[in-house]
Amino acid sequence: MPSQEAQSIIDEVLPSAVSWAAAHGLSMVAPENDSRFIHAPMSLLPTKFPREYFEKAISLSQSYNKLVDKVARDETWLLKTLEKVSHGDEFTNKLIELCKEVIQRGVSQEFYLGIHRSDYMLNAPENAQKQLLQVELNTIASSFGCLSSRVSKMHKFLSSNGNTRAAFNQHYSISNDVREENTLPVNDADKNISSGIAAAAKLYSESQDDSSHPQAVMFVIQEGERNSFDQRWLEYNLFDAHQVVTLRRTLSQVAKNAILKDDNKLIIDGFEISVVYFRAGYTPNDYPGEVEWNGRRKLEFSQAIKCPSIAYHLVGTKKVQQKLALEGELEKFIDDENECKALRSTFAGLWSLDVDEQTEGEKQAQKQAMVNPEGYVMKPQREGGGNNIYGKDIASALSSMCEQERAAFILMQRIFPTLSDTILVRESKAVLGKAISELGIYSVFLGNGKKTVCDGFAGYLLRTKMEGVDEGGVATGYSCLDSVFLTD
């Protein structure tokens, strides 16, 4: 994009975009001052994305929902897959031990609520066909559903508003009579995710013969959460559209104030908890001591419907992702041959670093990563951004780690998406550059292995970051919220 054209777009569109964000709660807490609010990092205009691959990603939503649920309910396969990881990763080991405790006690709540996000990049190697490849499958605290919906609505407004329409049309070379729904798809992630939580709350309520306390959905949150607006919009939607009451509590508050009754009902501050929605608990930082682990135990042992259950949480580990890519493993959970083929078409190269289970192909991949580390990523069993190992650091890590430490990581093919022109905005300042994007597809699932209450696509997230930035989190400062402009 020529700089003169970009500056013209910035001059015409930026004031309207920033004003829209401020007026519609497209906001985050400022990093240096928790009493100041700023607009979330965002793209000024939507990014072009091929319709074919966008629709393919959506079409896989129910397949990934089914896969997560089936793997989570096969406790033998899940725990065996993660056995060696636990030896070199203390945090994952604690999660595994908690899962074993739940199994030993007996699962109090068979219904699991999944709010998943499957993240993809469009791999575009030179002189080869583009390929939609899965980066990861998030099963806990899949964030930005509400703010991504707002970015989509902001871009739709900018495409039609009299002050900005001309610049928008000029940038995309479209005429005034183009129907924006053909290119700017509806994104109702905020409504669909809250509807899934409300359905779980309703299911719980209907299962209780008597209740001496009013019921509420509890959001489990982090101290000093910057991304609270994304969570607050879910709370507001739950109340406005479904009359569902919500609480916000940290794990330490749960440990100190929650009561687990003899029938495993969870009571806190006068409310019976119907649904536990985790927006914390996915990083070791959320467990500074045994108090927080005790809080998590109360939640997992309770009758409340968990989002996610500890088993769903573990299904989202990178080791499970790698194991499912092996020949014959996915097929243990998905019977339909065509469905397996569709899922496998999105699998990137995934290799074990556990010397005791490596195939010859995996050993060769590890050797190649030492020689050509730019073609790979080393991933631990972590969520939240900032944890992966890239480039020359891979060779150093593989050389310096002991076998037990390496087994806690997987090796993944690095994806190289097409670069696009973008204008990214942080704190009202616009920056022009070449960027890459990552597409996240939200899906909601509620079931007990026999009965399915909810199952489907729930919305999308597009995160865009400047070329050369490895990690992809918005809350961690790497990416900006974006939306798609579909192309044929």
Side-chain angles (χ1 to χ4, degrees), residues 70-171:
K70 288 197 170 186
V71 172
R73 295 181 192 279
D74 189 336
E75 297 148 353
T76 302
W77 186 95
L78 180 60
L79 293 176
K80 188 174 187 300
T81 295
L82 293 171
E83 183 178 7
K84 293 295 289 293
V85 168
S86 66
H87 298 162
D89 184 330
E90 182 181 356
F91 175 63
T92 303
N93 182 56
K94 294 275 277 187
L95 294 174
I96 292 168
E97 290 304 312
L98 177 55
C99 187
K100 290 177 180 178
E101 284 186 69
V102 171
I103 295 167
Q104 187 174 11
R105 281 177 58 102
V107 177
S108 297
Q109 179 55 259
E110 294 287 347
F111 277 94
Y112 300 157
L113 173 62
I115 296 174
H116 308 136
R117 197 187 70 224
S118 185
D119 293 337
Y120 304 91
M121 280 186 168
L122 199 55
N123 195 40
E126 284 188 48
N127 304 317
Q129 186 176 358
K130 292 178 181 177
Q131 189 179 11
L132 187 75
L133 295 180
Q134 187 185 59
V135 178
E136 63 183 352
L137 179 61
N138 301 277
T139 59
I140 183 170
S142 302
S143 60
F144 287 108
C146 291
L147 295 193
S148 67
S149 294
R150 272 155 182 73
V151 169
S152 296
K153 291 178 175 68
M154 180 189 73
H155 285 157
K156 192 161 284 194
F157 169 80
L158 296 174
S159 74
S160 302
N161 180 257
N163 296 319
T164 54
R165 185 183 180 108
F168 190 96
N169 289 354
Q170 179 185 357
H171 177 63

Side-chain angles (χ1 to χ4, degrees), residues 63-64 67-68 70-72 77-78 81 134 137 314-334 340 343-344 347-348 350 362:
S63 296
Y64 275 114
L67 181 61
V68 170
K70 288 197 170 186
V71 172
W77 186 95
L78 180 60
T81 295
Q134 187 185 59
L137 179 61
L314 289 172
V315 173
T317 56
K318 308 304 182 291
K319 184 61 185 178
V320 168
Q321 182 185 12
Q322 176 263 314
K323 184 70 176 288
L324 287 170
L326 292 177
E327 184 176 354
E329 295 296 332
L330 177 66
E331 289 72 14
K332 293 176 180 177
F333 305 101
I334 304 294
C340 281
L343 288 169
R344 284 194 175 277
F347 289 178
L350 295 157
E362 287 173 326

Side-chain angles (χ1 to χ4, degrees), residues 89 318 378-383 387-389 408-410:
D89 184 330
K318 308 304 182 291
M378 273 182 72
K379 291 189 169 186
Q381 317 307 310
R382 290 288 184 277
E383 302 297 335
N387 300 300
N388 297 335
I389 301 174
F409 286 75
I410 68 160

Side-chain angles (χ1 to χ4, degrees), residues 28-282:
M28 295 180 72
V29 177
E32 76 289 349
N33 185 347
D34 61 10
S35 63
R36 189 171 78 88
F37 307 123
I38 57 175
H39 70 76
M42 61 190 185
S43 66
L44 192 59
L45 297 174
T47 294
K48 291 181 180 179
F49 198 94
R51 186 187 307 275
E52 171 190 357
Y53 297 105
F54 182 76
E55 292 177 349
K56 178 179 180 178
I58 291 173
S59 73
L60 296 173
S61 299
Q62 289 183 311
S63 296
Y64 275 114
N65 280 348
K66 180 197 301 185
L67 181 61
V68 170
D69 193 65
K70 288 197 170 186
V71 172
R73 295 181 192 279
D74 189 336
E75 297 148 353
T76 302
W77 186 95
L78 180 60
L79 293 176
K80 188 174 187 300
T81 295
L82 293 171
E83 183 178 7
K84 293 295 289 293
V85 168
S86 66
H87 298 162
D89 184 330
E90 182 181 356
F91 175 63
T92 303
N93 182 56
K94 294 275 277 187
L95 294 174
I96 292 168
E97 290 304 312
L98 177 55
C99 187
K100 290 177 180 178
E101 284 186 69
V102 171
I103 295 167
Q104 187 174 11
R105 281 177 58 102
V107 177
S108 297
Q109 179 55 259
E110 294 287 347
F111 277 94
Y112 300 157
L113 173 62
I115 296 174
H116 308 136
R117 197 187 70 224
S118 185
D119 293 337
Y120 304 91
M121 280 186 168
L122 199 55
N123 195 40
E126 284 188 48
N127 304 317
Q129 186 176 358
K130 292 178 181 177
Q131 189 179 11
L132 187 75
L133 295 180
Q134 187 185 59
V135 178
E136 63 183 352
L137 179 61
N138 301 277
T139 59
I140 183 170
S142 302
S143 60
F144 287 108
C146 291
L147 295 193
S148 67
S149 294
R150 272 155 182 73
V151 169
S152 296
K153 291 178 175 68
M154 180 189 73
H155 285 157
K156 192 161 284 194
F157 169 80
L158 296 174
S159 74
S160 302
N161 180 257
N163 296 319
T164 54
R165 185 183 180 108
F168 190 96
N169 289 354
Q170 179 185 357
H171 177 63
Y172 296 101
S173 301
I174 56 178
S175 61
N176 285 335
D177 60 353
V178 69
R179 296 179 62 203
E180 71 261 8
E181 57 264 35
N182 291 333
T183 52
L184 303 178
V186 171
N187 185 8
D188 284 334
D190 50 356
K191 296 177 183 177
N192 294 329
I193 291 172
S194 58
S195 292
I197 297 172
K202 182 173 184 287
L203 181 69
Y204 178 91
S205 179
E206 292 173 347
S207 71
Q208 303 302 312
D209 294 330
D210 64 310
S211 182
S212 57
H213 297 84
Q215 293 179 6
V217 169
M218 182 166 66
F219 286 45
V220 180
I221 60 169
Q222 296 173 326
E223 296 277 4
E225 174 64 73
R226 287 190 59 225
N227 191 26
S228 57
F229 279 83
D230 186 57
Q231 302 168 13
R232 292 290 189 185
W233 279 115
L234 285 178
E235 293 182 59
Y236 305 152
N237 285 340
L238 281 167
F239 184 78
D240 292 342
H242 306 281
Q243 293 74 57
V244 171
V245 175
T246 56
L247 304 176
R248 295 170 62 82
R249 298 292 186 270
T250 64
L251 284 169
S252 62
Q253 288 172 328
V254 171
K256 294 170 185 175
N257 301 325
I259 299 169
L260 192 62
K261 302 191 77 173
D262 291 342
D263 59 1
N264 291 323
K265 287 183 178 180
L266 184 68
I267 310 297
I268 186 168
D269 299 332
F271 288 92
E272 178 181 342
I273 302 305
S274 59
V275 179
V276 175
Y277 174 48
F278 285 97
R279 291 297 291 257
Y282 55 85

Side-chain angles (χ1 to χ4, degrees), residues 133 347-351 411-414:
L133 295 180
F347 289 178
L350 295 157
W351 302 278
L411 192 64
M412 182 175 175
Q413 166 194 354
R414 186 157 189 180

Side-chain angles (χ1 to χ4, degrees), residues 353 366 370 378 389 392-407 409:
L353 290 173
Q366 183 174 331
M370 294 286 290
M378 273 182 72
I389 301 174
K392 63 181 184 299
D393 293 335
I394 291 177
S396 175
L398 289 174
S399 300
S400 62
M401 287 180 178
C402 67
E403 290 182 1
Q404 192 175 78
E405 289 172 324
R406 282 200 302 270
F409 286 75

